Each structure stands twice: as structure tokens, then as C-alpha cells.
Amino acid sequence: AQSVTQLGSHVSVSEGALVLLRCNYSSSVPPYLFWYVQYPNQGLQLLLKYTTGATLVKGINGFEAEFKKSETSFHLTKPSAHMSDAAEYFCAVTRGGSARQLTFGSGTQLTVLP
Amino acid sequence: EPEVTQTPSHQVTQMGQEVILRCVPISNHLYFYWYRQILGQKVEFLVSFYNNEISEKSEIFDDQFSVERPDGSNFTLKIRSTKLEDSAMYFCASSEDGPYGYTFGSGTRLTVV
């Protein structure tokens, strides 16, 4: 079985400050990891993904995440927050191979303060 | 950019009624999914569909739920007799292969009264 824990259901940062959203996973096999963003009244948009290879992955809108196997973490970062980054962010995991369902974390609501 | 289209965006139904949620996946995708998100809770997997049959389903996907790809373009989720606890946002998704290329629709907000 796999699971995802997102620490902090709400995170507030000032515009221009570092964004750090935490995600820890549990998986019995090498995981595939994802971050999705959800803007109000919209669907889930893929920010970035880790499957294999380079552990630092870059996504859209200046976000990146690093897969750390030893820490079972996949934290999302952005050096400088923008007002438009305000949204809910979901970390998700799948075990890869033939399995295709995603297991999501509870989400983190990011507020960007002017 | 190709999109997954869901209709309606919002549906209100009375408890006990049947509802059908509709989705048009991306045309060359082979795998189709339904997820739901109860207000304030996690996004939860319901079912995946490949080659005209269910490939995986969760415990939530009981006999009240069914899926169908009736005409090669639409992908539907039917709830036979809705309950208050079925109120949620339902997301359709499709992928060419696996979760790496998932595209989600904008969702249908189902309200059961």
C-alpha cells in the first residue's frame, strides 16, 4: 500500500519569499511522485513528476521538487512566490508499473501575502 | 492543448435519483479514470478503465457505481441511487499510458439534496 502525507494544510508566504510545501510518502516499491495544483473551481493541473533518473525535477511556473529516497520525501519549492501561485497543491504517488491509480495527499492551501 | 471535457460543471439531484456524469477524454488516450473529492477532503481514486473494461477500482466504487464508454468518445460515470454522501467534485482523467501523462478535467460538482 502507498500513502502520502502533506505537512501543513495551510501555508502562507509573502510575495517574493521562498515557497516550501512538504510531502512525505510511503511506498513498498520505488514510487512515482507527482505534484498537482488546483486553482479555485478548476481541475488538477500537473506541476511536475518524478519517475526515474534525475532526482531534482523542474516543473511549470518555476516550481521544482527533489526526490529524497532516504527521507521518503518529495518537497515542492519555488524560490520566489508570486500572487498567482495562490492555490491548493496536492502531492500524489503511484507505484508505477502497471498500477495507474494515484494516491493523493490531503493538500496544502498556499496563500501569498502582498 | 488537448483537454478532458466534463459536463455538466454542476449538477443538483435529489437523494435516490440516478445521475450520469459525462466526460470526453483526449482522443488518443487509452486509459480513463474517475476520481472524487469530497469538500475539504482528499482526492480519492474511484475506478480506472482500459480496453473497454474496468482495470482497477477502489472500495468506494460499489454496486451503486458503474462506468461506460458508450460510443468511443464519451466516458460516463453513473450513480444509480444517489446518497447525500455522494456529494462531491468528480474528476475525470485520461492518459496515453499510465499516470505519467494524466490529464484531468475541470470536474463536475455533484450536490445531492
Side-chain angles (χ1 to χ4, degrees):
Chain A
Q2 56 218 16
S3 64
V4 176
T5 302
Q6 290 184 241
L7 295 175
S9 58
H10 290 85
V11 170
S12 293
V13 299
S14 297
E15 192 173 18
L18 172 72
V19 176
L20 171 60
L21 305 183
R22 299 178 186 274
C23 172
N24 288 90
Y25 69 90
S26 171
S27 178
S28 57
V29 296
Y32 292 177
L33 294 155
F34 306 81
W35 275 99
Y36 283 86
V37 61
Q38 185 181 28
Y39 297 101
N41 300 314
Q42 294 190 27
L44 297 159
Q45 182 182 8
L46 180 66
L47 272 180
L48 49 77
K49 62 189 176 191
Y50 168 79
T51 54
T52 58
T55 56
L56 181 64
V57 292
K58 297 185 185 298
I60 62 172
N61 302 337
F63 284 94
E64 61 183 37
E66 186 169 11
F67 169 59
K68 292 187 176 180
K69 184 179 178 181
S70 61
E71 298 177 10
T72 60
S73 69
F74 190 58
H75 301 331
L76 181 71
T77 60
K78 182 174 180 178
S80 177
H82 192 274
M83 297 297 289
S84 61
D85 295 327
E88 187 146 25
Y89 292 80
F90 294 92
C91 184
V93 64
T94 186
R95 62 181 184 270
S98 61
R100 292 180 169 84
Q101 61 169 284
L102 292 170
T103 300
F104 284 85
S106 299
T108 298
Q109 182 68 47
L110 175 66
T111 300
V112 182
L113 305 170
Chain B
E1 187 172 332
E3 291 184 342
V4 173
T5 304
Q6 290 187 244
T7 55
S9 57
H10 191 185
Q11 181 153 358
V12 181
T13 189
Q14 289 198 326
M15 191 169 53
Q17 294 296 305
E18 175 183 286
V19 294
I20 298 176
L21 309 183
R22 302 182 190 280
C23 170
V24 179
I26 293 173
S27 60
N28 65 333
H29 285 187
L30 303 176
Y31 299 89
F32 313 111
Y33 313 84
W34 285 100
Y35 285 76
R36 79 172 185 189
Q37 183 182 27
I38 295 172
L39 188 63
Q41 297 187 25
K42 292 184 182 184
V43 178
E44 301 171 292
F45 169 76
L46 292 178
V47 66
S48 60
F49 191 86
Y50 170 72
N51 201 24
N52 287 320
E53 61 182 20
I54 290 172
S55 49
E56 290 180 280
K57 62 182 181 178
S58 71
E59 293 176 353
I60 303 167
F61 195 88
D62 61 21
D63 292 345
Q64 290 300 309
F65 291 88
S66 62
V67 290
E68 196 176 34
R69 189 157 161 79
D71 56 13
S73 61
N74 289 284
F75 180 51
T76 61
L77 174 69
K78 182 193 293 186
I79 309 175
R80 289 191 181 82
S81 178
T82 50
K83 305 170 191 168
L84 294 176
E85 54 264 38
D86 293 326
S87 295
M89 180 74 88
Y90 287 80
F91 291 107
C92 175
S94 68
S95 72
E96 196 169 357
D97 183 25
Y100 336 114
Y102 260 60
T103 301
F104 281 88
S106 298
T108 293
R109 180 165 298 285
L110 176 66
T111 303
V112 182
V113 297

